[in-house]
Amino acid sequence: VDDTRRFGWWPERGHSLWIAAEGRHTIRTEGLTADVHDMDVSGGWAQLWRLAHDHVLATSLVSEVVLPISGRTEFRNLARAGGIGGLSGYLADEIFGLGMFLAQAEYRHVYINDMHLNLAHLNYVRSLGGTLFTGAASVSKCESLRGWFGRQSFYGHVGYALDMRLSVLGVTPQLARIEISVPMVRRDTTCLGEALPDRLGERQGLSPDEVRRVLPRFNINLTFQQTF
């Protein structure tokens, strides 16, 4: 609706509705056992609500359910709510579950349009903007869907981003985005027999108290998005 360059759910894509089902299989070779088989069912809806010229409210709803078939579920098979694209105030390996529901909203606005700033004849800055965003997620247990949407299943973040629309070599549209995101709550959980977030530090030789001190109080992410 607002842009034809076909980025992802940001910066400006009119609307998107999707559902997917995927079969995943991990086969060990060379005499190793413990193969893993599961199904992953997911769906989402993204919608842009144009408030005024260069002012857009973007919303996104995404849900994912992992259905184990055989073998012991592994961390890489679970749904994740944190990281870039999700609740970016959290680490990507911080929030796991068999079921995940994620709701996000962004208020996007443009500071300067129709720019022609030349960066070393490689990138041409076309516009500068900002994004005020928030999001919340509910995540189930890692062994079952128990506790999904329960009081202790919710996480959230808030943040702000500066957006720069570029033309690479004067031709290819690209978006550069630097954001700061703050987690609203952190929880001690158990997943696949491991205590989180303690597990993140144990792999680095840290004590539980040290883990909590080194977990970032906010994240700064720099991302680039191209049309291909």
Side-chain angles (χ1 to χ4, degrees), residues 167-184:
S167 294
V168 180
L169 300 177
V171 179
T172 305
Q174 185 179 72
L175 177 76
R177 169 168 165 152
I178 182 169
E179 67 177 35
I180 180 170
S181 180
V182 181
M184 302 301 292

Side-chain angles (χ1 to χ4, degrees), residues 69-91:
I69 298 175
S70 66
R72 186 178 185 272
T73 301
E74 301 172 344
F75 279 98
R76 59 181 169 181
N77 298 88
L78 295 170
R80 304 186 186 204
I84 294 175
L87 301 182
S88 57
Y90 299 90
L91 304 177

Side-chain angles (χ1 to χ4, degrees), residues 7-203:
F7 286 100
W9 93 272
W10 55 267
E12 298 193 274
R13 186 178 190 173
H15 47 267
S16 174
L17 179 66
W18 57 273
I19 186 169
E22 179 182 13
R24 305 181 302 191
H25 310 276
T26 302
I27 309 297
R28 263 68 181 206
T29 59
E30 298 182 357
L32 299 177
T33 57
D35 297 342
V36 180
H37 308 272
D38 64 18
M39 288 283 296
D40 183 86
V41 180
S42 58
W45 172 46
Q47 181 72 46
L48 272 75
W49 315 88
R50 191 168 190 177
L51 307 177
H53 179 62
D54 287 337
H55 295 269
V56 173
L57 177 65
T59 58
S60 173
L61 300 175
V62 176
S63 187
E64 180 181 2
V65 178
V66 177
L67 304 173
I69 298 175
S70 66
R72 186 178 185 272
T73 301
E74 301 172 344
F75 279 98
R76 59 181 169 181
N77 298 88
L78 295 170
R80 304 186 186 204
I84 294 175
L87 301 182
S88 57
Y90 299 90
L91 304 177
D93 54 357
E94 191 173 349
I95 308 173
F96 297 91
L98 280 184
M100 183 271 294
F101 180 82
L102 173 65
Q104 297 187 89
E106 295 184 345
Y107 166 58
R108 306 168 185 165
H109 47 282
V110 176
Y111 293 124
I112 306 175
N113 249 330
D114 301 319
M115 298 176 63
H116 303 283
L117 179 61
N118 178 6
L119 299 180
H121 297 285
L122 298 176
N123 288 320
Y124 293 82
V125 181
R126 301 306 187 190
S127 69
L128 295 175
T131 301
L132 177 66
F133 60 88
T134 186
S138 175
V139 182
S140 75
K141 301 294 184 182
C142 296
E143 296 78 18
S144 71
L145 296 178
R146 183 171 50 88
W148 201 6
F149 297 103
R151 180 178 299 180
Q152 299 298 315
S153 72
F154 285 95
Y155 300 82
H157 78 155
V158 295
Y160 190 81
L162 292 176
D163 305 321
M164 180 186 299
R165 289 177 176 83
L166 310 171
S167 294
V168 180
L169 300 177
V171 179
T172 305
Q174 185 179 72
L175 177 76
R177 169 168 165 152
I178 182 169
E179 67 177 35
I180 180 170
S181 180
V182 181
M184 302 301 292
V185 60
R186 277 199 159 97
R187 304 187 186 281
D188 294 326
T189 61
T190 301
C191 180
L192 304 183
E194 300 275 5
L196 295 176
D198 296 352
R199 176 182 184 271
L200 304 178
E202 289 172 358
R203 298 298 188 271

